[in-house]
Every structure is written in C-alpha cells, then in structure tokens.
Amino acid sequence: MDTVIDSDPAVVAYREWVCREYGTLPDYRCLLRGCVPLGSVYTEPVMVQRSRELSRWEEEEEEEEACLRGDLTSRASPAYHPTRLEQLFCRLQRPAHTHTHAHTHAEPRPLALILQGPAGHGKSVAVKKLLLDWARGRLYERLFDLVLVLRCGHLGRAPADRSLVDALSPERCFSNLDLAPADRSLVDALSPERCFVPLVSRALQERPARVLIAIDGLEDLQPPLDGADADADAGPQRPAELREALGALLGGRLLPQCPLLVTTRPAGADRLSRLLKRPQRTVEMMGFSEAAVEQCFRNTMVCAVLWHLPDRCPTGAPDLDLHSATAVIAYAVSTLLRRHCQGSGRLMSTALRRLSRRALSHILRQRTVSDQGGVCEAERPLEVEEEDEEWLSEAFGHPSVQEFLSALCCVWSDGGASRRSRQQLLQLLSLQGDEQTTPDPSLLDVGRFLCGLADPRVRGLLLTDTSPPLPPATEARLDVEEWLLRLAGDVRDSYGADHLRLHVLRCLHELHDDGVASRALEALGRVQLFGVAMTTADCWALCYCLLCAPANGSLALWRCHVTADALRILRPALTRCHELELQVEGLSDTDIPDLLMALGRGKNLKELGVAGSRLCDESVQQVLACLPQQESVAFISLSVRSVSPRPAAMLARLLQTTEFELAELTSSDEETCCSHFSMDAFTVTLSHHCHASQPMLGEGPDPEPVPAALVPSAGHSTECALPGLSFSVGETAALSLIDWDTLLHAYRPFRAPQATILCFEERVGAFVSLLRSLPHLRRLDLEVSHLSLTWAGELLSLVHTCTSLSHASVQELRLKGGCGESLCSSISVERDIHYPSLLTSEFTHREECDSSGVCVDLQYPGPACSTLILTHSPGADHSWTQLLHAFHTLSSRVCEEGPSVLRSALHGVCGLKGLFVRVSRLTLDWASALLSLSNTCPSLVDISISDDVPPEAHQEGAVCSSLTLRRDKDGFTLSVRHPCRVDPEPELSSLSLSVSGASAVSCEDWMAILQEFGRLKHLPESS
C-alpha cells in the first residue's frame, strides 16, 4: 500500500515553514527595509505556451490535453497558447480509473516544463508564488506531495561535493546555502532544515512522480552545465559533485519520474534544450499587461514591471518623461540609491560608480569573457560595510539592474576605463568573422541599455541636487550609433537572424533618436520577423521605428503573437507600410475595425492571417471586402467561427474581381461543415480535423471519461471517413456557379468514422454524383481513412463517365485504429491530354510503417506487388472489381498464386495497352505469367516488370531485377537487367534481344532465355 504522505506531520511542518519564509518580499522603498506580503504585490504575468514540432509521445499528450479542455481541434490552434500559473501542470492531472483506497491520486507523467523569458519578466517570483500557493493548499495540492526549489544563482558558493538533495533545501537555496556541510546528500540539499531530510528522502524514494522540483535560474549556474555534466552518474542521496547530480537530473537518469520546472533566460534556452533528455514543454513569460504594470508601479518598485511600459509611463512619476525601459530603471535606481545615501551620508555618484564597476565585472566574469584582457582591469569594487553590502546586493541584484549598471560603467565617460570597456563590449555585440557569428545572447540586454544611456534625457534622470552631474559622453554616443548602424546592415540579409532584427529595433527605441532610427531602418531594409514572440514593449519599439522610417516601407510579421492590443499599438505604423505580411492572433469581431484601419488601401498585401479567432460571417465579409481596395493580394488565412456556405461563396465571388494565390478559412467548431476550406483561382480544398483519442466529459483538472457505451468499440475507427478532398475546375468563373450550401452540407457527414455512418454506400454514391455535377471539373483528389471497394468503384466510375475529368485519385490516410482491411493504399487515374480516350491507372500498396518510417512488420517488410500501372481504354465496372480483388491479394508478401490471379484479372481490362508491375522479387513465375499476356492480349504493346530492392540486396530465387517486352510492327524486343555491386563483376548483367518478323513468341521460349540469363549472371568474367 502506498504511503499517504499528505497526512505526515512533517509535510504540515514543511508547509508552515514555506509560508513563513516565502509569504513576504523585501520592500526596498522603505528606509527601514521592511517587508510586504507576496500576495499583495504579486502581478500575474502574461504567459504563452509555445507550439513546435512534437514527438509521437507529445502528439498523444496534445490529444489528451485537448480532451481535458473539451477541445477536439488542437491542430488548428495558433502558434502560441495563453496560459496561467494554475494551468502549467494541468496535463499531468489524469483521471484515476482505479482506486485502491480513498487516498489514491492520479500519477502524473514525467515532464520538464520550461519557463523562459528575459530578466524581469516574473519567472522567479512566479516560482515563489507557486510554492506559496501549494503550501497554503490553493494550488496543485492534489497533484504534488512536495514542491522543492533549487536556486542556481547561489550554488556557486556551495561546496563542490554536496549532493542534489542537499542543494534542494529551500533554506540553503535562498539564504544559507554556502554554510551547508560538504558531506550532505542531494536529499539534504532539497530539505529546508535538517528535520526535513527524512521527509524529502522518503518522498523521492517512494513517490518521485508526486514531487515537483523547481530549478530557478539555470543560466546563473557558473560555470554553466555542459554535455559531460548531463552524462555523469549521480544519486540523490550520495555526496557528489553537485553539477553532476544536477546534470543527471536534467538528463533524466536521476529521478526520471520527477516533474521538473526549470526557469531560464533566452540566452540559456539552447543549452537547456540540449541538456534535457525528457519530454518537455516551453512556456514563454511575455511580461505584464499595461493594467498590471500600472497597478504594480503604484504598489512597489519591483523591477519586473520595467520591461513592458507603453511609450509614456502611465503613473508613478507624472512629471518625468519615462519613455523607455532604460529611463524607468534609471529612475528606479536613482530613487533607491538616493534613499540609501541619505541614510548613510555617502555621495550618490560614488555609490553609483561603485555599483556599476562591480556589475560589469560580475557580468563579464559570468559570461567567461574576463580573460580577454583589459575589460575590467580597473574596475575592482571598493570595500563597503557588511550591512550595506547585503542591502545593496538585494536591492540592486536583479539581472536587469545589473545589466543596466554594467552599461552605465561603459558609458560613464568618454575616456579611460569606460572607453576600453565600451569598445570591447561593442565588439562582443557585433557579428563576428566571415561566417557572421551571432553575438552572445546573454549580452544583448547590456547593449540595449548602452543605447538607452546614450540618450541625454536618461542620463539626466541619474542626477540629484546634491551630487555632481555625470561626465559628458559625446564620444560614447557616437560609438553606440556607429555600432547600431553597422549591426542593422549586417543582419539585413542574414537567414534566421529575426531575434537580432528585433534587438536592433529595441535598441533604436531605447536610443530614441529619430534620425538614427531612420538611417538604421534604411540599412536594415525590409523589417522581417518570423516566429519571434513580440511583447508589448516590442510593439512600441517597432511602431516607433516604422514611424521614423520613410513611408512605403516593407514589414513582415508572422507567428509573432500579435494580439488585438498589439495591433492597436502598431496601427499608425502599419498604415505607412506599402508591402505587408501580417498575422494576428486572438481577434474578436469587435477588433475587425482596427484591422481594417491598419490595412488601409493600396497595399501590396503578400500575406494576411487571423489565427486563433472565431470570426462571424459578417466580420469575414468585412475583411474580404477590403481586399479589392489593395494593389495586390497573395495569401489570406482567416480563423472563423464556422466554415459555412456564405463565406465560401464570398471567396468565389471575390475571385472574379481580385486575383490572389490562396485564401483559406479554418474553424475549431465541432458543428462546422469542415475544419479547413481553401480556394485559389482553380482549386478548392476541404478537410476535417479529427483525433483518435478517448474523449472526456467536462472540464477542469479531473474530467470524467466518456462511458464505455459511448466509446467506439475496438473494431471501429475513430478517424474521419473522408478527412480531405480537393478538386479543380477549368475556369475561375465556374467556382461562382457551385452550390456551396449543398456541397458543404453533403461533405459534413463524412466527419464521422466510416463504421458509424448510416447507409454509407448510398451516401458515397450521392456525394460522388454531386462532385460529377460540378461545372468544368478537371481534377479530383480524395483522402479517405479506409480505401474500400465503395470508394474505389465510385472513383473509377466517375473517371469513365466524366469526360472533362483529367485526373482523379483516392488515397488512404490510415492511422492507428483503422477500420477493416483496405483494398490498397492509393488509386489514381490520368487521362491523356493528347488522346482523351486513353487512361493511365495506378494502384499501390504502402508498407505499414510507424511515425519514424520504420517498417512495422520486419519479417514481411513489403507486399508481393507494390505498384500496378495500366494504360488502357475506358472499360466496364465489373472488370475493375475483379482487378481490385486480385491486387488486394498481393498486399501480402507471401502470395504463391499472386501471378496467376493477377494475369486472370488483367484479361478483363478493356483495351489494355501498357502494363508496369513492381514486385518484391522478380521470379520466373512472375515473368511467365505476365509475358504470356503478349499472346493473349492483342492490344498490349508494352510490359515492364521491376523489383523494389536495391542492387546490393541479394534476392534468392530472383531471375533478374527488371525486364521489358515491347511489341512494334517489326516484332518483339526483350530487355533484361540485373545490376549487381559485387567484385568481381558478373559476366552478364544486362541483355537486349530483338525478334523480327514474328507475330507471337511462345512463353516457353522467353522462359528459356531468362533461365539462361539467370545462370550466367552469377558467373564472374574469369569463368
């Protein structure tokens, strides 16, 4: 029986200890250095979950999470999903199907959750808030028995031989970590006090899946972890190199069942992704909304609010022009330092100079660049009293403030040590060498503050009535401007340098010089950002730069998390852009006027996307109505409430007046006619998004599973019967003649699994008849979950009766859990444009492979006959039924009667002119059966047989690799090939034989030739 750790008195004591230690935060505004409750100053940050390519395990997790939310359309979700603190681990909460006793909880699945965001975006405070809410029973109480925190910034002072449990001690991690004995274990490190060591040890041993380990600030660990640390062996209880234990924990070899919460800045994201060897998710901290910034600015001087202010500070210092992040931090540092100096009697300039020297030395030493010589040779900090040292470390120890002070040291004056530090720092922030090596990401924010401090208005914020002014820094400003213009030109055409382009925009906004911004935008050229999650401050920076740039510029923003609020910020700048690629997310119907005003008129609209929205038909009509007012339109993608006939008809009518490459509508509604609808000048595509996971009822952390009576049985498929179709017409005007209401409503029933559709054969027949009636139908492609005789027969009948149709195909998209055995994998029919009465039909068998492309059945890795291509005249339906059944028997690799069965079926094909067969092994049986058709089918003029194995693979019993028999007016030509990559080369690897003046050649003669070829092909040339 599992131990019920929730009732342990040690857990209660640990919760009480957490409430005491983390219930308050220091209040740096107060000279008495008091504290404020964490709950009173905590501001909920904006967090989004980033989508990316998922593994098979994660795809299943996506589907289960979609069921938990009651959402069956996660594939149509936008690139970023907003989330909250209480939703971070919702995917770990699974309904318990069996209960051994009343206290049994659902076991969470192992997961590493990454909280990623720049300094000041609330990562560490969010971790503390999560720990505090768990201790108070408000968050994840049913999910985790223990929540332990490891703060990497303090581990550099810890003894080298401490264990991971020792390091995870909350008290040691946040206060007295360096005082811990060297012989403590990892369990000890996870224990806040000595009395909690047994509790942590027992929890990690008995139920590690219910212990959350939070690793805060992994990039602060010095020196940083590398692959050797991740591959090292370590245990949670034995004393060892703490880095080895931490690397083993991240690599999944130590405590692999423990969920992890890791916070990191963007500079450490790549290293962390290489270290983690367990399923992971990434949540980006986007900072704070404007309302949260205003409230937080009133309550506290926490620097976390300083990164997401609008262009004008909303409150706090109404008489000051706090126009940038640098200005706000300068004001905050000046305010805090003034109060400290008033109480200590020191000059503010002296204290500020000391802090900036120490910050630069610390940051460069952390980034392992202090050995480059001369950077901080004269920057040794002055000695201060112990009490002041502790207060200054707490008040100015935030990474954002440290980066600000480091930049201040570089631009303190024009000459001396400031100049040397500035020049070498700007060199590190430039693209290096011929290969254009990108700058160190950890130093980008220092470069941003360099630009901000080059603004005289910001330097003025650091002045006081009692302290002398800062020295002039004219040369420093020129150095910064030259570096910024050079960087803008270097990233102009750099592939994948979107984050550097955004960095240039941020720096220009901090510098706030309209002339420099105009020249930098001219050097940058087209502003192109792809896959970069833009914050509110980034939108203000982009808007400022575009307003400074010349009109008729070019802008591309795709998958940048541009919300309705961001759109309103960017609207004045978007109207000045002549060429535009824009994707916005999460728009409502009330936000459409803002979008229309941003689009304006006369634009070269290359791409317009509205994702993650539920636009009504009226909103769609408004967006489409503005397209004819543009100079050109290329691609349109709208996320709508429901794909209905009305917007489809709008697109068809729009094509008559406006040329565009592609327009698509997507919907996540379960009642929609289709999930995806796209149209270009001639082609229309419809598709359904369906999931094969077990559905759930209700929402919340513990949804109930659907009763067994409502779940399809094991023999039924949970796939769509017709996941997708595409058809093309000969004229654009024909699209406006289609009855979209009838077509879409006829397609909607095929969203269900084939086994659950009543009168399935009748519905398929009626639907294909509807497709046959489409005006000027030229091409038709179907994607089905199960390629049955019904689908195959209707498709072949359609091709033979619809003379305007030049191509038709049906392809099976079978996933795990398909219903029944299919005839084949795909069927396609082409009509020769020069000879309309001549058709080419292709039938294929696809090997059963998993998601990685590896054959599922290794003993029989392929079918006996994988491809059959016929050139023929239109024939009766009964001949196709016989042929389909014959080809179906060849889906198995072991089919002794396959050659004769296929030969009999081919006799029924009307007007057979050409034959190509790809087999797994070209034996004499295959050759005899198919070559005999040259005497029994007078119309057959071309027979080709080939195997599907590489030349180096030896086929026991194979007579050759390929053979071709062609008939013309002069007679027959037989070509045989058997390439073999062996040494020495065989005497005979190919043969070409012509027989003239013969109307027929017996099959026995052909077999005699092939048998002799099979004997000679194995003999080396010397024999």
Side-chain angles (χ1 to χ4, degrees):
M1 180 178 295
D2 295 334
T3 304
V4 183
I5 197 170
D6 295 16
S7 60
D8 195 321
V11 177
V12 178
Y14 175 67
R15 291 176 183 268
E16 293 176 351
W17 183 89
V18 170
C19 294
R20 291 194 307 269
E21 292 295 321
Y22 302 114
T24 59
L25 287 178
D27 186 4
Y28 300 121
R29 300 171 300 172
C30 179
L31 289 177
L32 299 179
R33 302 167 190 175
C35 296
V36 293
L38 175 61
S40 65
V41 297
Y42 176 75
T43 304
E44 182 76 21
V46 178
M47 296 182 288
V48 294
Q49 178 177 303
R50 185 176 62 194
S51 295
R52 55 182 178 82
E53 294 295 328
L54 304 178
S55 65
R56 185 67 179 173
W57 184 92
E58 291 172 310
E59 288 178 355
E60 296 176 359
E61 289 289 296
E62 280 284 2
E63 294 171 355
E64 293 189 22
E65 184 179 10
C67 291
L68 289 174
R69 297 194 307 261
D71 176 18
L72 297 179
T73 56
S74 62
R75 296 183 186 177
S77 301
Y80 295 87
H81 314 281
T83 186
R84 297 173 60 87
L85 191 64
E86 60 270 17
Q87 298 173 336
L88 293 181
F89 291 94
C90 65
R91 69 168 44 253
L92 295 186
Q93 307 181 67
R94 294 290 186 263
H97 300 288
T98 59
H99 298 275
T100 56
H101 51 79
H103 298 281
T104 299
H105 297 285
E107 289 293 339
R109 299 186 181 183
L111 173 72
L113 184 67
I114 303 173
L115 278 184
Q116 176 183 325
H121 282 208
K123 302 183 297 295
S124 297
V125 178
V127 170
K128 294 180 181 179
K129 185 66 164 57
L130 185 150
L131 179 62
L132 181 63
D133 287 351
W134 169 84
R136 292 175 175 174
R138 301 174 182 174
L139 189 63
Y140 302 131
E141 184 183 24
R142 300 175 57 190
L143 188 59
F144 300 123
D145 295 333
L146 285 180
V147 179
L148 308 170
V149 180
L150 175 64
R151 192 170 184 181
C152 296
H154 293 269
L155 295 183
R157 304 194 302 268
D161 57 348
R162 295 187 57 226
S163 68
L164 185 57
V165 176
D166 194 14
L168 282 169
S169 166
E171 183 182 72
R172 304 302 197 270
C173 290
F174 287 93
S175 56
N176 302 322
L177 182 63
D178 54 330
L179 303 179
D183 59 346
R184 300 276 301 280
S185 68
L186 175 59
V187 177
D188 298 330
L190 285 168
S191 309
E193 294 181 352
R194 194 66 183 175
C195 61
F196 295 135
V197 173
L199 169 66
V200 176
S201 177
R202 177 162 55 90
L204 292 177
Q205 289 179 1
E206 297 179 357
R207 305 196 69 176
R210 295 188 57 80
V211 179
L212 173 64
I213 299 178
I215 304 174
D216 187 29
L218 186 65
E219 74 284 347
D220 294 330
L221 186 64
Q222 296 300 326
L225 292 175
D226 54 23
D229 296 313
D231 295 334
D233 292 328
Q237 293 185 324
R238 70 174 182 89
E241 174 70 32
L242 185 56
R243 298 166 49 80
E244 296 180 2
L246 185 56
L249 180 66
L250 294 172
R253 289 169 293 100
L254 177 61
L255 302 174
Q257 296 180 342
C258 272
L260 299 183
L261 174 62
V262 187
T263 71
T264 183
R265 300 170 72 180
D270 292 339
R271 177 181 289 116
L272 177 58
S273 63
R274 293 191 299 267
L275 292 174
L276 283 173
K277 299 297 193 307
R278 57 175 76 199
Q280 56 189 267
R281 296 251 163 209
T282 299
V283 173
E284 292 194 6
M285 309 288 287
M286 307 299 295
F288 305 87
S289 63
E290 292 189 24
V293 167
E294 183 172 350
Q295 182 64 30
C296 192
F297 203 96
R298 290 195 184 102
N299 294 340
T300 181
M301 293 298 295
V302 177
C303 289
V305 305
L306 304 179
W307 284 88
H308 287 273
L309 292 174
D311 196 44
R312 293 293 179 268
C313 181
T315 183
D319 298 332
L320 299 174
D321 182 16
L322 304 183
H323 57 278
S324 64
T326 311
V328 179
I329 291 188
Y331 174 73
V333 169
S334 177
T335 302
L336 294 178
L337 196 58
R338 184 186 308 113
R339 293 174 179 174
H340 170 69
C341 293
Q342 288 175 355
S344 62
R346 294 184 175 86
L347 287 177
M348 180 177 171
S349 58
T350 303
L352 189 60
R353 180 65 163 162
R354 180 189 303 118
L355 287 172
S356 63
R357 289 174 174 176
R358 179 166 48 194
L360 179 62
S361 175
H362 175 68
I363 282 186
L364 293 181
R365 184 171 61 252
Q366 275 191 326
R367 272 64 182 182
T368 65
V369 297
S370 59
D371 58 342
Q372 296 190 13
V375 176
C376 48
E377 56 187 19
E379 307 301 331
R380 187 175 184 82
L382 303 177
E383 298 294 332
V384 294
E385 298 179 4
E386 182 178 353
E387 182 181 1
D388 290 337
E389 176 74 23
E390 179 182 355
W391 187 87
L392 290 173
S393 298
E394 292 179 352
F396 298 99
H398 194 277
S400 298
V401 180
Q402 289 290 297
E403 291 162 347
F404 168 82
L405 294 173
S406 300
L408 178 61
C409 184
C410 294
V411 296
W412 186 272
S413 62
D414 282 337
S418 295
R419 181 180 182 180
R420 293 193 298 272
S421 300
R422 180 174 63 253
Q423 290 177 346
Q424 297 195 27
L425 184 61
L426 291 178
Q427 181 67 22
L428 294 173
L429 289 169
S430 303
L431 294 180
Q432 304 290 331
D434 297 335
E435 298 181 357
Q436 298 290 285
T437 304
T438 58
D440 186 354
S442 61
L443 296 176
L444 291 181
D445 289 333
V446 181
R448 182 182 178 189
F449 285 125
L450 277 176
C451 297
L453 287 167
D455 187 351
R457 293 175 297 175
V458 176
R459 297 174 65 88
L461 295 173
L462 296 172
L463 303 180
T464 62
D465 297 336
T466 59
S467 62
L470 295 180
T474 305
E475 185 178 340
R477 179 182 176 89
L478 295 177
D479 290 343
V480 171
E481 291 179 1
E482 179 183 357
W483 161 76
L484 191 53
L485 292 173
R486 184 173 62 252
L487 181 62
D490 290 341
V491 301
R492 177 182 183 125
D493 299 321
S494 296
Y495 176 77
D498 301 87
H499 67 290
L500 289 180
R501 296 188 187 96
L502 182 59
H503 174 66
V504 170
L505 300 177
R506 292 170 174 171
C507 292
L508 291 173
H509 185 246
E510 296 296 325
L511 184 61
H512 229 73
D513 186 306
D514 296 356
V516 176
S518 178
R519 285 186 290 157
L521 264 293
E522 184 178 353
L524 186 62
R526 187 176 187 229
V527 180
Q528 180 176 349
L529 300 175
F530 177 83
V532 180
M534 296 184 61
T535 63
T536 304
D538 295 336
C539 294
W540 283 109
L542 175 60
C543 182
Y544 165 76
C545 294
L546 291 177
L547 290 177
C548 293
N552 300 327
S554 177
L555 173 65
L557 295 178
W558 204 258
R559 295 184 62 187
C560 291
H561 194 60
V562 178
T563 61
D565 293 335
L567 180 63
R568 281 187 280 271
I569 296 173
L570 295 172
R571 190 179 66 192
L574 293 178
T575 57
R576 294 169 52 88
C577 297
H578 176 258
E579 185 178 274
L580 183 62
E581 296 180 35
L582 177 65
Q583 184 193 55
V584 293
E585 300 177 5
L587 295 191
S588 64
D589 294 322
T590 58
D591 300 321
I592 295 302
D594 294 316
L595 176 61
L596 299 180
M597 285 187 285
L599 295 178
R601 297 169 176 262
K603 281 185 171 51
N604 179 9
L605 192 59
K606 301 186 69 174
E607 294 186 22
L608 173 63
V610 180
S613 307
R614 292 175 55 85
L615 302 182
C616 65
D617 290 351
E618 289 74 14
S619 298
V620 174
Q621 184 176 11
Q622 294 178 34
V623 175
L624 297 181
C626 82
L627 298 183
Q629 304 173 12
Q630 310 303 327
E631 180 179 309
S632 63
V633 180
F635 173 74
I636 306 296
S637 177
L638 303 178
S639 179
V640 299
R641 186 173 303 166
S642 176
V643 178
S644 61
R646 184 177 176 186
M650 295 178 194
L651 287 176
R653 290 195 299 268
L654 181 65
L655 272 173
Q656 310 307 312
T657 58
T658 305
E659 294 184 2
F660 54 80
E661 295 181 6
L662 181 67
E664 63 178 15
L665 306 174
T666 59
S667 174
S668 59
D669 190 82
E670 295 184 15
E671 301 300 325
T672 185
C673 294
C674 63
S675 302
H676 178 269
F677 177 93
S678 65
M679 178 186 297
D680 61 18
F682 301 99
T683 304
V684 176
T685 302
L686 309 176
S687 64
H688 288 308
H689 291 315
C690 303
H691 297 267
S693 56
Q694 181 178 353
M696 300 285 179
L697 292 179
E699 300 179 354
D702 294 307
E704 299 178 0
V706 172
L710 301 181
V711 179
S713 63
H716 289 174
S717 170
T718 55
E719 307 162 6
C720 301
L722 184 59
L725 73 90
S726 174
F727 65 87
S728 301
V729 295
E731 301 176 2
T732 302
L735 294 176
S736 60
L737 304 177
I738 297 176
D739 186 350
W740 295 106
D741 185 79
T742 303
L743 178 62
L744 291 177
H745 283 90
Y747 177 61
R748 185 179 180 278
F750 294 100
R751 185 187 186 99
Q754 175 174 323
T756 63
I757 300 178
L758 298 178
C759 304
F760 176 74
E761 295 184 0
E762 289 78 2
R763 284 187 179 273
V764 171
F767 186 69
V768 174
S769 297
L770 177 61
L771 296 176
R772 183 184 290 109
S773 65
L774 294 177
H776 302 282
L777 183 63
R778 290 287 187 270
R779 182 185 179 98
L780 176 64
D781 297 285
L782 303 178
E783 295 176 346
V784 299
S785 62
H786 172 59
L787 209 169
S788 61
L789 184 61
T790 302
W791 283 115
E794 291 292 344
L795 178 76
L796 294 172
S797 175
L798 174 64
V799 176
H800 297 154
T801 57
C802 183
T803 56
S804 65
L805 191 62
S806 60
H807 170 88
S809 71
V810 56
Q811 180 180 1
E812 182 185 66
L813 297 180
R814 179 183 294 188
L815 303 174
K816 189 186 300 182
C819 66
E821 190 176 6
S822 299
L823 289 173
C824 55
S825 300
S826 65
I827 301 174
S828 66
V829 183
E830 293 275 355
R831 189 183 302 273
D832 195 310
I833 58 175
H834 301 293
Y835 303 96
S837 61
L838 197 61
L839 301 179
T840 300
S841 301
E842 180 176 356
F843 308 84
T844 61
H845 282 303
R846 183 177 60 242
E847 297 180 6
E848 291 293 334
C849 299
D850 58 16
S851 58
S852 62
V854 178
C855 241
V856 176
D857 192 341
L858 297 179
Q859 184 177 3
Y860 302 111
C865 178
S866 60
T867 305
L868 174 63
I869 302 177
L870 311 176
T871 303
H872 59 92
S873 302
D877 294 341
H878 67 85
S879 61
W880 293 115
T881 303
Q882 182 184 1
L883 179 64
L884 289 170
H885 283 296
F887 187 67
H888 173 63
T889 62
L890 300 173
S891 60
S892 173
R893 191 172 184 85
V894 179
C895 184
E896 297 180 356
E897 299 179 355
S900 59
V901 171
L902 181 60
R903 179 185 57 190
S904 300
L906 291 174
H907 279 292
V909 178
C910 179
L912 181 62
K913 297 182 179 301
L915 169 65
F916 173 81
V917 182
R918 186 182 298 277
V919 297
S920 61
R921 184 174 55 182
L922 208 169
T923 62
L924 286 175
D925 291 339
W926 274 112
S928 174
L930 298 181
L931 291 179
S932 65
L933 293 173
S934 62
N935 297 324
T936 57
C937 295
S939 62
L940 185 59
V941 296
D942 194 332
I943 300 175
S944 295
I945 315 172
S946 173
D947 61 21
D948 53 3
V949 296
E952 62 270 13
H954 177 68
Q955 287 285 330
E956 187 68 27
V959 64
C960 58
S961 295
S962 65
L963 67 86
T964 303
L965 180 63
R966 289 187 173 89
R967 186 213 307 259
D968 55 24
K969 62 181 180 179
D970 297 328
F972 295 90
T973 301
L974 176 68
S975 299
V976 185
R977 288 182 55 82
H978 189 83
C980 185
R981 299 178 183 177
V982 297
D983 190 21
E985 289 287 339
E987 181 179 3
L988 189 62
S989 61
S990 63
L991 171 68
S992 180
L993 178 66
S994 297
V995 180
S996 303
S999 60
V1001 178
S1002 67
C1003 185
E1004 289 77 8
D1005 293 338
W1006 294 127
M1007 291 303 99
I1009 296 174
L1010 291 176
Q1011 286 177 348
E1012 186 63 18
F1013 177 84
R1015 187 183 68 83
L1016 294 177
K1017 71 179 182 180
H1018 295 296
L1019 298 178
E1021 185 176 358
S1022 59
S1023 61

